[in-house]
């Protein structure tokens, strides 16, 4: 069903912030992500929300071209899970996107080729004090990032971005818009 295999085991036990070092400050996480993308032998794991996937696979927005290139070259590895993928497939059917069956299938195939589903495995610590998102439909992206040990959740969603500072203070993972991800990558 999926064309791409995950580059590394997806289900991870959480022992602390990914890439965190003693004395790290939360605001330095974005630079650690960018550095890790250039220095790591295995791709940096990220989670992409539905709006970012629309930009990548439906609108072909040039502002996310660097993100798409990083996915295609293996510099980063995006992951999803069944409920996030289900949302993606549902959203593609919204009438404002005007996708016929062929367009829907093409967008789904592009998504599946670059974003594998994570194995369903409970995390070692089921309650990391993960903040609650104002929009319950977006909570799954926070959970996915934490469960898979992702370094970043790349999103355009205001409710998720509103949690950026809090998640940074907790040292769990970075929440950032695609433009900030691109800027951090260029700075590294």
């Amino acid at each position: 069903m999926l064309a791409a295999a995950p580059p590394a085991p997806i289900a991870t036990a959480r022992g602390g912030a990914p890439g965190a070092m003693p004395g790290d400050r939360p605001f330095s996480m974005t630079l650690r992500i960018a550095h890790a993308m250039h220095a790591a032998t295995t791709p940096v794991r990220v989670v992409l929300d539905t709006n970012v996937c629309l930009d990548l696979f439906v609108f072909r927005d040039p502002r996310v071209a660097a993100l798409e290139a990083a996915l295609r070259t293996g510099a980063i590895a995006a992951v999803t899970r069944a409920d996030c993928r289900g949302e993606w497939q549902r959203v593609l059917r919204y009438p404002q996107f005007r996708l016929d069956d062929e367009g829907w299938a093409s967008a789904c195939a592009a998504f599946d080729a670059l974003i594998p589903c994570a194995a369903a495995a409970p995390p070692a610590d089921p309650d990391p004090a993960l903040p609650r998102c104002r929009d319950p439909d977006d909570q799954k992206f926070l959970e996915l990032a934490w469960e898979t040990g992702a370094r970043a959740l790349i999103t355009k969603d205001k409710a998720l971005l509103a949690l950026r500072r809090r998640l940074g203070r907790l040292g769990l993972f970075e929440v950032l818009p695609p433009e900030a991800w691109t800027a951090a990558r260029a700075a590294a």
Side-chain angles (χ1 to χ4, degrees), residues 124-147:
D125 177 7
D127 185 9
L130 195 62
R132 284 281 176 222
C133 187
R134 273 189 329 254
D135 182 348
D137 287 339
D138 291 328
Q139 187 68 27
K140 62 183 161 281
F141 295 105
L142 296 172
E143 293 167 358
L144 175 63
W146 178 75
E147 289 167 0

Side-chain angles (χ1 to χ4, degrees), residues 70-135:
L71 284 166
R72 291 194 184 284
T73 62
I76 62 172
V79 294
T80 192
R81 65 184 196 191
D83 56 342
C84 298
R85 185 173 182 270
E87 176 179 302
W88 163 249
Q89 292 175 328
R90 257 188 330 280
V91 166
L92 288 177
R93 292 287 188 197
Y94 289 178
Q96 64 263 35
F97 300 128
R98 299 181 181 156
L99 293 176
D100 58 14
D101 288 341
E102 185 178 320
W104 182 87
S106 176
C108 286
F111 178 95
D112 290 343
L114 294 176
I115 307 176
C117 275
D125 177 7
D127 185 9
L130 195 62
R132 284 281 176 222
C133 187
R134 273 189 329 254
D135 182 348

Side-chain angles (χ1 to χ4, degrees), residues 43-90:
V44 172
R45 187 169 297 132
V46 299
V47 170
L48 307 176
D49 81 350
T50 303
N51 290 319
V52 173
C53 291
L54 285 168
D55 286 347
L56 285 167
F57 305 121
V58 175
F59 304 129
R60 305 286 183 197
D61 188 332
R63 293 174 293 184
V64 294
L67 182 60
E68 182 178 7
L71 284 166
R72 291 194 184 284
T73 62
I76 62 172
V79 294
T80 192
R81 65 184 196 191
D83 56 342
C84 298
R85 185 173 182 270
E87 176 179 302
W88 163 249
Q89 292 175 328
R90 257 188 330 280

Side-chain angles (χ1 to χ4, degrees), residues 3-26:
I10 299 296
T12 61
R14 302 296 299 194
M21 302 172 90
D24 270 358
R25 300 189 312 162

